[in-house]
Amino acid sequence: MMKKADFEKWNASIRKNVGREYGFRQSSYINYIVLSGYFFCLGPTHFNRVRLEVKPLYVDDLWWQILGISEVRMTMSLRGTGVLALQAQELASYEAVTSDCRCIDEETLKGVWYRVFGDAFQKIQSFLEKNPEAEFFVPDEARIMDRDRLFYLMTLLHQGRLEEVVTILDEAKRNGHICSNQISSQDSYAYIRQWCEKKR
């Protein structure tokens, strides 16, 4: 049985090579592909599973603009790995090989990743047929782990619906919702409200 560190390096190499055949790039522990204005990310969750997620490219661009750090745009992979990247919508989840399965042979490991990437690519194609224009995409909030609704708020702001956003922020405040996304000791909603006031 190989050492865990050696297995993880070997697994990452095979994952990278298989993913490349489907057009995915790899950075750290994620694989991603950009198509039709969307960022699709395949990243690990837990218990040997990986999750396929999607978000329009503009979502993080706008969020970073609101935070005043638009230079982050230069690194595409930060949309999937960055601390300040917004949560994406889940499209699918797969059983894969992401941790301590060091007895597996190369052909079996390749087979796992071909199955994952092959199905992920089909899911992406199906998604794009239903949502061809990223500009008009409305997220399914039930498939996003984002209790602060930042992804949804970015889609509203992108469409110029500032008053709706302010109403949502006011309602959240009335309901005692405390935004879990804190940046420099400031509530993320405060950044959004300030941005809305400037745009008004």
Side-chain angles (χ1 to χ4, degrees), residues 58-69:
Y58 76 75
V59 169
D60 285 316
D61 288 342
L62 180 53
W63 177 232
W64 293 332
Q65 183 183 340
I66 288 170
L67 296 178
I69 50 171

Side-chain angles (χ1 to χ4, degrees), residues 153-166:
L153 291 174
M154 292 306 108
T155 62
L156 293 180
L157 290 176
H158 184 71
Q159 295 168 17
R161 295 156 66 181
L162 275 67
E163 297 306 322
E164 255 182 271
V165 170
V166 172

Side-chain angles (χ1 to χ4, degrees), residues 103-123:
C103 294
I104 197 168
D105 62 81
E106 184 170 353
E107 287 309 305
T108 303
L109 187 55
K110 282 183 179 178
V112 168
W113 287 116
Y114 273 113
R115 175 181 53 78
V116 170
F117 280 106
D119 189 78
F121 192 76
Q122 288 182 356
K123 289 281 194 312

